[in-house]
């Protein structure tokens, strides 16, 4: 099977001998032209035409009321938590199966994460686990919901859309609404993914995208805050840009704020990439179709598919193997043969800085970590098959 899989991947990426990366960017548009314009005009930092243009493109593409560009997804999550009122000493409900940036942002906001289990199919936060945790551990307090054990306020809920697939975000949003818990979506991997036609990141107060070098669209490093609330969007733009009052020469800042604005050179890359977003998404979905068909006839192999109602960007196409032994064997063979595959992240509770954090049983999340392998999934270069 692995020999046939290798042949399939090499046919995808027109690379009969060379190494195949997990997800490399393709610069096939006006990236160089726009970067040169930044240099020629000297607008290379956080002021320039491409920052505003990139925000406008994301706002139009996603359907958000406001889009605010920031330096990376981690800073975007930190700002988003602050914008919904997370403060030092409070707790944020999130998931153990995620990239470490999700948990780090909670700590950067001064709060402590509580790690909940995932759904086996979506890999995102389980609303059943969220419901069970709230029923067992939460109560109403003078400033909103809090932990029954020590009175700490539950300041936010932060689910993550894993691999670009939607979690059961509608159910999570309903629970958060019932408990009056602000909902922030980690949609770092989900540019172009929708649920029932709505772009992910727009089901709560605010959502965050990432444009790291390995994402569907890259700006080298960067992120974007999305919100349906124009006033929150305006406040996000102000607070991520040092809260400076507009003036021709005076430097007057009237709030403690962040310096998280995306530089113009990064936004220039993003604009050129977004001009091709339709082709990029179509190409990645074509790869997903081929993987789905390939693994349909493989015993003990299950393609990780988009959930019902979700149109996924298939950021990383992945397969669920039969066991940890099978997972490791696939990882070892493919990487030894020049094909980059990767496991899911370690659970946050297995990392030293979060080992003492609260959580539930995490059974489904741990099973996914033990068995799932992500496959080469980037937009392709060369001639398409």
């Amino acid at each position: 099977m692995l020999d046939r899989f290798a042949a399939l991947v090499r046919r995808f990426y027109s690379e009969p001998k060379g190494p195949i990366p997990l997800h490399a960017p393709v610069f096939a548009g006006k990236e160089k032209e726009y970067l040169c314009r930044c240099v020629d005009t000297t607008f290379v930092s956080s002021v320039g035409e491409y920052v505003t243009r990139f925000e406008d493109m994301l706002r139009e593409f996603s359907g958000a009321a406001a889009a605010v560009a920031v330096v990376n997804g981690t800073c975007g999550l930190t700002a988003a938590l602050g914008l919904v009122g997370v403060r030092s000493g409070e707790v944020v409900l999130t998931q153990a199966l995620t990239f470490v940036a999700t948990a780090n942002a909670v700590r950067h906001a001064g709060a402590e994460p509580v790690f909940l289990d995932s759904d086996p199919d979506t890999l995102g936060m389980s609303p059943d686990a969220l419901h069970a945790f709230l029923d067992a551990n939460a109560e109403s307090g003078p400033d909103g919901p809090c932990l029954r054990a020590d009175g700490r306020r539950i300041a936010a809920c932060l689910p993550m859309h894993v691999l670009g697939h939607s979690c059961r975000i509608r159910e999570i949003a309903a629970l958060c609404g019932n408990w009056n818990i602000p909902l922030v979506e980690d949609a770092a991997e989900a540019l172009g993914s929708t649920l029932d036609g709505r772009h992910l990141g727009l089901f709560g107060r605010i959502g965050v995208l990432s444009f790291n070098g390995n994402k569907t669209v890259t700006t080298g490093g960067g992120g974007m805050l999305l919100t349906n609330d124009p006033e929150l969007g305006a406040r996000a733009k102000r607070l991520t840009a040092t809260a400076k009052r507009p003036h021709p020469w005076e430097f007057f800042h009237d709030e403690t704020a962040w310096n998280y604005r995306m530089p113009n050179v990064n936004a220039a890359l993003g604009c050129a990439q977004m001009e091709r977003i339709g082709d990029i998404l179509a190409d990645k979905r074509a790869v997903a179709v081929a993987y789905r068909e390939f693994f349909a006839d493989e015993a003990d192999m299950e393609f990780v598919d988009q959930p019902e109602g979700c149109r996924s960007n298939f950021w990383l196409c992945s397969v669920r193997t039969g066991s940890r032994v099978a997972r490791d064997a696939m990882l070892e063979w493919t990487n030894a043969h020049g094909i980059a595959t990767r496991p899911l992240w370690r659970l946050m509770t297995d990392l030293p800085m979060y080992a003492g954090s609260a959580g539930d049983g995490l059974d489904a999340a741990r099973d996914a970590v033990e068995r799932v392998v992500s496959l080469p999934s980037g937009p392709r270069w060369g001639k398409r098959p």
Side-chain angles (χ1 to χ4, degrees), residues 50-52 54-60 62 64-73 75-77 79-80 83 202 206-211 222-242 258 260-262 267:
Y50 292 114
V51 178
T52 300
F54 189 46
E55 291 173 334
D56 289 343
M57 294 174 86
L58 264 296
R59 179 174 46 79
E60 181 177 352
S62 68
V68 179
V70 291
V71 292
N72 56 54
C75 289
L77 288 170
L83 285 160
L202 295 176
I206 195 164
V208 182
L209 304 175
S210 171
F211 305 107
M224 187 76 69
L225 305 180
L226 300 178
T227 181
N228 288 316
D229 184 340
E231 292 185 4
L232 184 61
R235 181 156 178 78
K237 192 160 188 175
R238 172 176 168 73
L239 288 183
T240 55
T242 72
W258 305 283
Y260 286 171
R261 289 288 284 160
M262 176 183 285

Side-chain angles (χ1 to χ4, degrees), residues 39-361:
V39 174
D40 291 342
T41 61
T42 74
F43 286 102
V44 296
S45 191
S46 57
V47 176
E49 61 180 297
Y50 292 114
V51 178
T52 300
R53 182 181 170 193
F54 189 46
E55 291 173 334
D56 289 343
M57 294 174 86
L58 264 296
R59 179 174 46 79
E60 181 177 352
F61 177 77
S62 68
V68 179
V70 291
V71 292
N72 56 54
T74 306
C75 289
L77 288 170
T78 303
L81 292 171
L83 285 160
V84 301
V86 175
R87 299 293 180 262
S88 179
E90 299 177 334
V91 297
V92 172
L93 307 181
T94 188
Q95 61 198 63
L97 179 54
T98 186
F99 182 57
V100 71
T102 311
N104 286 347
V106 175
R107 283 270 177 89
H108 291 319
E112 280 298 311
V114 172
F115 296 112
L116 302 180
D117 204 1
S118 294
D119 279 325
D121 52 351
T122 72
L123 304 179
M125 179 186 288
S126 166
D128 300 327
L130 176 62
H131 185 275
F133 180 86
L134 290 170
D135 274 359
N137 298 282
E139 64 183 10
S140 297
D143 298 318
C146 62
L147 296 181
R148 190 176 296 119
D150 56 21
R152 285 183 296 169
R153 189 172 78 99
I154 301 173
C157 180
L158 179 59
M160 189 256 211
H161 300 292
V162 177
L163 306 177
H165 305 313
S166 175
C167 65
R168 289 158 63 191
I169 191 64
R170 289 191 182 280
E171 295 170 63
I172 292 171
L175 282 167
C176 290
N178 292 339
W179 280 88
N180 196 27
I181 299 172
L183 175 60
V184 175
E185 290 173 73
D186 184 343
E189 302 168 357
L191 174 66
S193 295
T194 60
L195 180 64
D196 299 329
R198 185 190 299 184
H199 199 285
L200 299 184
L202 295 176
F203 288 82
R205 292 287 311 282
I206 195 164
V208 182
L209 304 175
S210 171
F211 305 107
N212 189 32
N214 65 353
K215 294 302 190 292
T216 301
V217 158
T218 184
T219 59
M224 187 76 69
L225 305 180
L226 300 178
T227 181
N228 288 316
D229 184 340
E231 292 185 4
L232 184 61
R235 181 156 178 78
K237 192 160 188 175
R238 172 176 168 73
L239 288 183
T240 55
T242 72
K244 181 181 180 293
R245 286 188 184 178
H247 192 278
W249 61 82
E250 288 285 355
F251 293 94
F252 187 81
H253 309 259
D254 54 10
E255 291 187 74
T256 302
W258 305 283
N259 186 13
Y260 286 171
R261 289 288 284 160
M262 176 183 285
N264 200 41
V265 289
N266 297 95
L269 279 178
C271 289
Q273 293 264 291
M274 283 299 296
E275 289 173 353
R276 298 182 55 251
I277 184 63
D279 290 339
I280 292 171
L281 290 171
D283 194 39
K284 287 172 64 60
R285 288 185 64 83
V287 170
V289 168
Y291 279 142
R292 182 189 296 122
E293 293 174 352
F294 179 87
F295 287 107
D297 297 326
E298 294 298 328
D300 297 324
M301 291 280 190
E302 178 188 3
F303 182 67
V304 179
D305 216 335
Q306 58 192 8
E308 183 178 356
C310 172
R311 183 172 177 81
S312 178
N313 65 5
F314 287 99
W315 172 60
L316 286 184
C317 293
S318 302
V319 63
R320 191 186 302 267
T321 64
S323 66
R324 174 65 179 263
V325 171
R327 185 206 78 162
D328 289 348
M330 186 174 187
L331 288 168
E332 290 173 5
W333 190 94
T334 51
N335 284 280
H337 286 77
I339 298 173
T341 59
R342 295 291 183 270
L344 295 176
W345 318 276
R346 292 193 180 192
L347 296 185
M348 294 299 99
T349 50
D350 291 342
L351 301 179
M353 60 281 199
Y354 298 115
S357 298
D360 58 14

